[in-house]
Amino acid sequence: MFLNHLKDFAAKKIVKNHLEGTALLPSGDPIRTVGILIDESYFGHREALIDALRKEGLEDASINVLAFRDKVKKSDVFNYPVFSHADITWTATISRPQVRQFIDTPFDLLIDYYDVEKAALLLVSHLSKAKFRVGFASVDKRLHHFMIDTTAEQYGIFAAELAKYLRILNKIK
């Protein structure tokens, strides 16, 4: 347990140091592919969030989800990729192939659906090849192009605000 806290501290320090010299350059392309990074140890309404985003105009076939859980039992079976602290090394690299694939996918939009900073989530979000990143205002502001000031429990409000501003930016119709 104590070693996990040290590993989180080391990973968070590495991410924050990388963010110091990083400039976010948003893409003007319309959104066709969406990646959602969810903290399922805190927010358990993954399907409701996806339904809310679908109702607001994002296409269902283009949505990929990666979930984070504080602890994943070996007996647990998921129909979507899930990772935990165990999948992150001391040097802030990812060992699980599904997470590496998510990171290497050049999404047009990455939704960081977590409002509490955790080292694993910050690391995956920072390493992602996404062209446009959206998240909560309570998370490090250097990580996102656009931030929405609400809480994770209010997924309907988040989806509506996201869609409103994406329409303003001509990213969705």
Side-chain angles (χ1 to χ4, degrees):
M1 187 68 167
F2 179 70
L3 292 177
N4 280 340
H5 290 294
L6 285 176
K7 187 167 45 169
D8 282 350
F9 178 76
K12 197 179 273 191
K13 185 175 180 179
I14 289 169
V15 170
K16 298 236 180 205
N17 285 342
H18 281 269
L19 287 174
E20 288 297 323
T22 306
L24 293 174
L25 300 173
S27 169
D29 300 334
I31 293 174
R32 292 188 181 86
T33 57
V34 178
I36 303 175
L37 181 59
I38 296 178
D39 182 3
E40 277 197 349
S41 54
Y42 175 68
F43 178 75
H45 306 290
R46 179 182 56 84
E47 286 299 323
L49 171 65
I50 293 171
D51 288 340
L53 291 170
R54 232 184 273 138
K55 288 178 187 173
E56 294 296 337
L58 293 174
E59 296 177 20
D60 184 36
S62 66
I63 297 176
N64 292 328
V65 177
L66 176 64
F68 171 80
R69 290 190 175 202
D70 286 328
K71 293 185 181 187
V72 177
K73 297 177 185 173
K74 291 183 180 183
S75 61
D76 290 342
V77 178
F78 303 100
N79 60 354
Y80 51 93
V82 176
F83 74 108
S84 68
H85 293 286
D87 300 315
I88 297 176
T89 66
W90 285 90
T91 58
T93 57
I94 309 280
S95 61
R96 188 173 290 252
Q98 296 94 341
V99 180
R100 292 292 326 154
Q101 181 182 7
F102 185 86
I103 289 171
D104 292 336
T105 304
F107 295 113
D108 294 323
L109 172 66
L110 176 65
I111 300 172
D112 290 332
Y113 206 81
Y114 55 90
D115 56 358
V116 177
E117 285 188 5
K118 292 184 180 177
L121 295 165
L122 292 173
L123 180 65
V124 171
S125 180
H126 174 65
L127 293 175
S128 174
K129 305 284 189 282
K131 298 174 187 171
F132 191 76
R133 295 185 182 123
V134 175
F136 288 95
S138 60
V139 179
D140 194 337
K141 282 131 182 71
R142 298 171 294 178
L143 199 58
H144 301 111
H145 293 99
F146 184 72
M147 291 147 299
I148 297 175
D149 191 14
T150 186
T151 60
E153 295 86 10
Q154 299 174 331
Y155 54 86
I157 294 171
F158 181 88
E161 288 294 310
L162 176 61
K164 178 173 84 173
Y165 287 107
L166 289 177
R167 284 186 186 95
I168 290 171
L169 295 171
N170 291 325
K171 294 216 171 259
I172 62 172
K173 294 178 182 175

